[in-house]
Amino acid sequence: MMIELDMQSDVPIYTQLINQIIEGIASGQLQPGEALPSVRSMAADIGINLHTVNKAYTLLKQEGFILVHRQKGVVINPDGMPPVTEEYMQQQYRQLRSITAEAICRGMTREQLLTIAGQIYDELQPTELERGN
């Protein structure tokens, strides 16, 4: 999986890294049980501070997306992804509310916003072929 970071973005580097790893999992590019580079290796590969990678890995571990094995290193959680919880639903509601408000302020229609959301969902959802079915 290719990690592409925007060093000029307002989004913190660790957040960009988290988002790309989660997108990799959602799209099927990263499979359960698949190893990720060590903190030191990832930092060297993409040219960022190892503390930034460590922060991203720590947050992904806390959320249940990755596990840290003493022997295998950092792996995508082989037991599955974190479930949809009430807390997660509330978090999504707050984030989508903010995005929707800005879209309304900029004159975007409901249909345009829903089309974009649907396109992103379809882009990230692996096909049957990609899932190996």
Side-chain angles (χ1 to χ4, degrees):
M1 184 183 141
M2 184 73 133
I3 301 289
E4 294 179 14
L5 302 175
D6 180 358
M7 300 301 180
Q8 307 303 318
S9 173
D10 293 335
V11 178
I13 300 298
Y14 75 91
T15 302
Q16 292 182 49
L17 186 54
I18 289 170
N19 292 342
Q20 290 203 18
I21 290 171
I22 292 174
E23 281 188 27
I25 296 168
S27 67
Q29 292 179 336
L30 294 172
Q31 296 293 316
E34 185 173 340
L36 291 176
S38 69
V39 168
R40 192 172 302 277
S41 177
M42 175 75 86
D45 289 349
I46 57 178
I48 62 174
N49 188 301
L50 63 93
H51 297 292
T52 302
V53 176
N54 191 47
K55 183 173 185 175
Y57 278 8
T58 298
L59 293 171
L60 286 165
K61 180 183 170 191
Q62 288 174 351
E63 292 293 324
F65 290 101
I66 64 173
L67 294 177
V68 179
H69 283 274
R70 289 178 191 228
Q71 296 173 335
K72 296 178 182 175
V74 180
V75 297
I76 304 300
N77 191 341
D79 300 326
M81 292 296 110
V84 175
T85 62
E86 185 60 36
E87 180 183 350
Y88 174 78
M89 293 287 287
Q90 290 174 4
Q91 175 190 357
Q92 292 302 94
Y93 181 86
R94 286 190 300 272
Q95 290 177 350
L96 289 171
R97 186 175 177 95
S98 176
I99 291 168
T100 303
E102 183 173 348
I104 291 169
C105 288
R106 290 177 178 265
M108 184 178 275
T109 66
R110 175 187 168 101
E111 290 72 28
Q112 288 172 317
L113 183 61
L114 292 176
T115 298
I116 290 171
Q119 286 173 342
I120 292 169
Y121 189 92
D122 291 343
E123 288 171 9
L124 292 174
Q125 181 76 14
T127 64
E128 292 291 321
L129 184 61
E130 292 168 332
R131 278 189 235 127
N133 296 332

